[in-house]
Amino acid sequence: MNSLGGIRSWPANWRSTTASMTTTESVRKVPQVLTVAGSDSGAGAGIQADLKVCAARGVYCASVITAVTAQNTRGVQSVHLLPPEFISEQLKSVLSDFEFDVVKTGMLPSTEIVEVLLQNLSDFPVRALVVDPVMVSTSGHVLAGSSILSIFRERLLPIADIITPNVKEASALLDGFRIETVAEMRSAAKSLHEMGPRFVLVKGGDLPDSSDSVDVYFDGKEFHELRSPRIATRNTHGTGCTLASCIAAELAKGSSMLSAVKVAKRFVDNALDYSKDIVIGSGMQGPFDHFFGLKKDPQSSRCSIFNPDDLFLYAVTDSRMNKKWNRSIVDALKAAIEGGATIIQLREKEAETREFLEEAKACIDICRSHGVSLLINDRIDIALACDADGVHVGQSDMPVDLVRSLLGPDKIIGVSCKTPEQAHQAWKDGADYIGSGGVFPTNTKANNRTIGLDGLKEVCEASKLPVVAIGGIGISNAGSVMQIDAPNLKGVAVVSALFDQDCVLTQAKKLHKTLKESKRGI
Ligand SMILES: Cc1ncc(COP(=O)(O)OP(=O)(O)O)c(N)n1
Ligand SMILES: Cc1ncsc1CCOP(=O)(O)O
Ligand SMILES: [Mg+2]
């Protein structure tokens, strides 16, 4: 693991060994994951889910099968374990050939199978290990009994980079520790962390009586509660395998751990939402569609991992203000994020291209390590060059349909709109959100027409996209903005309220608190 919780780097010579096997000059390394798990004949979970999510996230996935299950949407009818020697043959075969970035484990149903895995991981060290301690199927069938608990605790967990138990699995690993609240999930995450994994994600999907699905992430120092609204659907078979494999895929592409976890959670939420009404099989646990990102309808075709709730406290940077207060962009961003900023836009109106790019790269590192998206203002070329999470463009910048075709389906695109017509066009052109304002007069952007709270409301009502309000917003008036009656108004974007201030951290915290209180009051 590197300092951001990403994965270890390859030895300096890996590229030359790979290059020696090809006749072409340039070698393109494809991110690679190995899944070591059980086969699900219904293809909703297990190896089949792992292969699908990795393919959907642009990562190659090889598979070592530990057990073959006869299962469908009604449950598990039968399980056949493969002989440990043959599992070892599979492991040797692929580990001696491929250069996996990440190994992900799922169903490891016997001590002997864990032993052969450990032996092979010691013969062929890998860069990162994601352990999904699969024990019971969604339908309640035991897939790995209590006999595996001690080898998990003593030998597998200590070498894992992250473990992803649900509450039942966390409880089993902790000798039956009762987990019924988020506070108990936190205690469980802490105790599991003491067993050796570098990161722990306790999944709260099965927690009784909660309207949100809350997962608790612990890095040994800090907890993060990752919340998303529950999606009413029967099609949840394979969510655990998908989440863990998506984490593995994102790590393989170079993400930090927190960022990988956030992307994976969002991927699962989006897949569940997209597939909530599909009918496959006659049972109670249907599979979902991992390829929602490839669908034909332009509005549903984007494999977007954008979460509109991220617009809650949108920090837009300003280099003149940083100069005035004598702080670096990196320090300003760190403070804003620590104070609660949920998305960042790098708005650089003065820098030369080279300087802007260097700045963007430094900011990307900070944002990725905190799992916060970074968008670039105006400059599509800079966004492409630094692989930012997206861009924000205005009505006189590059047209949105062209931006979408240049950036592809995954990137976030925001568009400034002052009128219902512009909002409709932004949606048609494939934007993800609208920035609407100036709501109040501002000194930050010259000659900017103020639309007021009424203008904002009119845009929100016409918009099929989520909206963030901008312009002259600060602690004193953020409440009045959030209280306009518009469910798609997701937050406020601010420049001077954070960055033209003595202490960015204090202002961010105060504004975050104000926004939370006004949201509660709605
Ligand atoms: C979130 C958000 N909303 C609106 C804007 C303004 O964009 P634009 O109209 O292109 O003006 P400039 O920022 O480029 O001056 C924004 N940047 N962010
Ligand atoms: C970029 C932008 N677009 C519309 S208003 C504005 C400036 C917002 O700055 P501030 O939050 O300091 O009023
Ligand atoms: Mg612009």
Side-chain angles (χ1 to χ4, degrees):
M1 280 277 141
N2 60 32
S3 58
L4 301 180
I7 58 183
R8 291 170 275 271
S9 22
W10 282 112
N13 65 350
W14 84 262
R15 192 170 279 277
S16 57
T17 52
T18 312
S20 67
M21 297 184 296
T22 172
T23 51
T24 54
E25 273 295 297
S26 67
V27 176
R28 194 162 63 91
K29 168 87 169 64
V30 176
Q32 293 166 36
V33 166
L34 169 64
T35 170
V36 183
S39 160
D40 167 3
S41 53
I47 287 279
Q48 288 80 0
D50 300 342
L51 292 171
K52 284 188 275 186
V53 63
C54 285
R57 300 302 303 157
V59 169
Y60 187 81
C61 184
S63 55
V64 163
I65 301 182
T66 57
V68 184
T69 68
Q71 66 177 303
N72 54 23
T73 59
R74 292 186 219 133
V76 180
Q77 289 81 45
S78 168
V79 176
H80 174 70
L81 306 200
L82 293 191
E85 309 74 52
F86 186 66
I87 296 171
S88 190
E89 291 294 320
Q90 295 178 68
L91 284 164
K92 276 197 185 66
S93 174
V94 289
L95 285 165
S96 64
D97 184 16
F98 296 70
E99 295 196 2
F100 294 110
D101 299 289
V102 183
V103 170
K104 176 254 164 184
T105 67
M107 182 179 172
L108 299 173
S110 75
T111 312
E112 294 74 21
I113 291 173
V114 183
E115 289 277 7
V116 298
L117 172 67
L118 291 167
Q119 184 57 50
N120 277 278
L121 290 179
S122 121
D123 294 344
F124 303 96
V126 294
R127 298 170 67 201
L129 178 63
V130 174
V131 173
D132 183 20
V134 172
M135 289 178 200
V136 184
S137 73
T138 333
S139 58
H141 196 100
V142 174
L143 298 173
S146 52
S147 61
I148 53 108
L149 289 174
S150 52
I151 193 164
F152 262 60
R153 288 185 197 122
E154 285 151 31
R155 297 183 51 206
L156 188 60
L157 266 46
I159 61 165
D161 290 293
I162 184 165
I163 61 166
T164 60
N166 59 31
V167 286
K168 283 190 198 127
E169 291 155 351
S171 171
L173 286 164
L174 294 168
D175 278 331
F177 176 73
R178 208 185 56 155
I179 308 173
E180 287 177 354
T181 63
V182 174
E184 286 162 354
M185 286 171 72
R186 281 174 169 247
S187 305
K190 197 155 183 281
S191 304
L192 289 167
H193 188 265
E194 281 160 15
M195 293 180 183
R198 274 158 283 283
F199 299 88
V200 177
L201 180 72
V202 179
K203 299 172 295 189
D206 298 332
L207 214 61
D209 302 332
S210 65
S211 57
D212 279 356
S213 142
V214 185
D215 297 342
V216 169
Y217 173 89
F218 184 56
D219 62 12
K221 284 196 197 115
E222 272 183 65
F223 289 98
H224 294 257
E225 284 175 20
L226 309 174
R227 287 174 185 273
S228 55
R230 269 180 204 282
I231 296 156
T233 177
R234 70 190 258 285
N235 300 323
T236 56
H237 181 49
T239 43
C241 308
T242 302
L243 184 92
S245 289
C246 193
I247 294 172
E250 296 309 308
L251 288 176
K253 288 190 277 185
S255 278
S256 70
M257 190 60 84
L258 180 56
S259 187
V261 167
K262 286 189 173 178
V263 167
K265 185 165 166 67
R266 216 159 284 157
F267 179 89
V268 171
D269 288 345
N270 285 350
L272 290 179
D273 191 43
Y274 180 81
S275 319
K276 59 180 183 282
D277 302 323
I278 63 175
V279 179
I280 294 175
S282 57
M284 287 311 290
Q285 275 94 39
F288 54 90
D289 184 350
H290 292 72
F291 293 101
F292 61 95
L294 301 179
K295 303 305 174 202
K296 290 278 175 291
D297 169 6
Q299 287 313 313
S300 62
S301 72
R302 295 203 309 281
C303 184
S304 171
I305 49 156
F306 172 62
N307 179 355
D309 291 336
D310 285 349
L311 298 172
F312 188 60
L313 175 45
Y314 189 150
V316 182
T317 67
D318 185 299
S319 53
R320 272 168 306 180
M321 292 176 196
N322 289 334
K323 260 184 217 129
K324 172 178 162 194
W325 291 95
N326 198 22
R327 60 186 153 229
S328 72
I329 178 85
V330 165
D331 287 344
L333 276 198
K334 278 186 186 159
I337 295 172
E338 202 185 320
T342 47
I343 190 166
I344 307 288
Q345 180 187 138
L346 199 52
R347 182 171 179 268
E348 183 50 83
K349 295 292 190 190
E350 287 173 346
E352 298 288 342
T353 298
R354 187 74 62 94
E355 189 194 342
F356 194 174
L357 182 57
E358 291 311 314
E359 211 168 70
K361 285 181 182 164
C363 295
I364 282 274
D365 285 347
I366 303 296
C367 289
R368 294 258 150 94
S369 69
H370 288 85
V372 170
S373 297
L374 179 91
L375 310 191
I376 304 291
N377 177 271
D378 294 351
R379 296 284 300 268
I380 318 305
D381 56 338
I382 300 279
L384 283 167
C386 71
D387 191 28
D389 300 300
V391 296
H392 185 95
V393 288
Q395 294 295 324
S396 52
D397 297 320
M398 189 180 286
V400 178
D401 53 350
L402 188 49
V403 178
R404 176 58 71 202
S405 67
L406 289 172
L407 291 189
D410 274 359
K411 298 293 183 191
I412 303 168
I413 300 178
V415 190
S416 309
C417 298
K418 287 184 191 288
T419 66
E421 294 71 31
Q422 290 172 351
H424 184 67
Q425 191 64 42
W427 172 77
K428 267 177 60 186
D429 288 347
D432 290 292
Y433 76 87
I434 281 170
S436 194
V439 179
F440 304 114
T442 176
N443 292 326
T444 308
K445 183 171 166 65
N447 306 320
N448 186 50
R449 182 166 68 83
T450 300
I451 61 169
L453 288 170
D454 291 343
L456 173 66
K457 190 154 190 241
E458 212 189 327
V459 169
C460 288
E461 278 167 358
S463 175
K464 296 188 189 181
L465 295 172
V467 180
V468 61
I470 189 167
I473 301 171
I475 292 164
S476 62
N477 57 15
S480 66
V481 175
M482 294 309 287
Q483 264 147 24
I484 74 163
D485 189 18
N488 58 344
L489 178 66
K490 296 293 178 186
V492 299
V494 294
V495 187
S496 51
L498 292 186
F499 298 113
D500 199 4
Q501 306 289 333
D502 184 18
C503 180
V504 177
L505 175 62
T506 310
Q507 295 309 313
K509 280 184 176 166
K510 281 188 186 163
L511 186 50
H512 192 271
K513 189 161 172 263
T514 306
L515 288 169
K516 271 194 126 169
E517 282 166 2
S518 59
K519 200 177 163 196
R520 237 177 266 131
I522 292 172

